[in-house]
Amino acid sequence: MEKIQSEKENKQISSFKEGYQDRKMAKWQGFILSDHSDLIRQEKEQQIKPMAKEKQSLSVISDYLHRSFAYGHQLTIQLDFIVDGFYEPDIIGVVTGFDNHLIYIQSDEESVVIDLSLIRHVEILPSSRWFAPDQPT
């Protein structure tokens, strides 16, 4: 009698499981995505606003821009205007051209055109080695 009842319960359980597929880790992706989105938002809120860098002379700025154009050096440029009490984030890129007082910068994401009179500070970024130097054996 007990055996007949347990077989009946097994049939009920197995019929339930036939239509159900456990997604395992896939169901956790939604939780991970929302946590990641929260973390990114918090980082943006806590992001340190750029501080004022030393105001450079036009000759120093021109020299750095020329080096970037001639040798392909990547540089950072701080513009001389304030938005909401802070300077805009630095523009990072390489000078690809110029026309009168306009400087053309190619960054990773886009091309930027900057008026020379708006530049406050320029620095050439140190280049990183993309290869490992020979190691003595």
Side-chain angles (χ1 to χ4, degrees), residues 16 26 40 56 87 90 96 100 107 114 119 121:
F16 169 74
I40 289 174
Q56 294 175 327
Y87 286 93
D90 290 354
T96 57
N100 292 333
S107 68
I114 303 171
I119 297 176
H121 186 88

Side-chain angles (χ1 to χ4, degrees), residues 46-100:
Q46 294 174 353
Q47 196 174 41
I48 298 173
K49 298 293 182 179
M51 300 302 290
K53 295 181 181 177
E54 173 190 346
K55 174 82 171 154
Q56 294 175 327
S57 68
L58 185 58
S59 63
V60 172
I61 292 171
S62 297
D63 183 47
Y64 283 132
L65 294 175
H66 175 71
R67 281 198 238 167
S68 175
F69 181 70
Y71 303 112
H73 294 306
Q74 191 172 35
L75 42 80
T76 64
I77 299 172
Q78 185 179 48
L79 300 180
D80 198 12
F81 63 90
I82 298 173
V83 177
D84 296 330
F86 295 100
Y87 286 93
E88 286 286 305
D90 290 354
I91 298 169
I92 300 172
V94 177
V95 176
T96 57
F98 54 91
D99 181 29
N100 292 333

Side-chain angles (χ1 to χ4, degrees), residues 17-48:
K17 288 181 96 178
E18 285 175 9
Y20 175 74
Q21 292 183 353
D22 186 15
R23 298 183 305 152
K24 297 184 175 54
M25 287 305 293
K27 63 185 171 186
W28 294 100
Q29 294 299 323
F31 293 121
I32 293 170
L33 181 60
S34 65
D35 289 347
H36 185 253
S37 298
D38 290 342
L39 180 63
I40 289 174
R41 187 173 15 82
Q42 287 175 357
E43 285 178 355
K44 283 185 179 179
E45 289 172 359
Q46 294 174 353
Q47 196 174 41
I48 298 173

Side-chain angles (χ1 to χ4, degrees), residues 120-136:
R120 176 180 181 82
H121 186 88
V122 178
E123 286 181 42
I124 292 181
L125 293 176
S127 61
S128 60
R129 288 187 172 174
W130 56 271
F131 63 94
D134 294 334
Q135 298 290 331

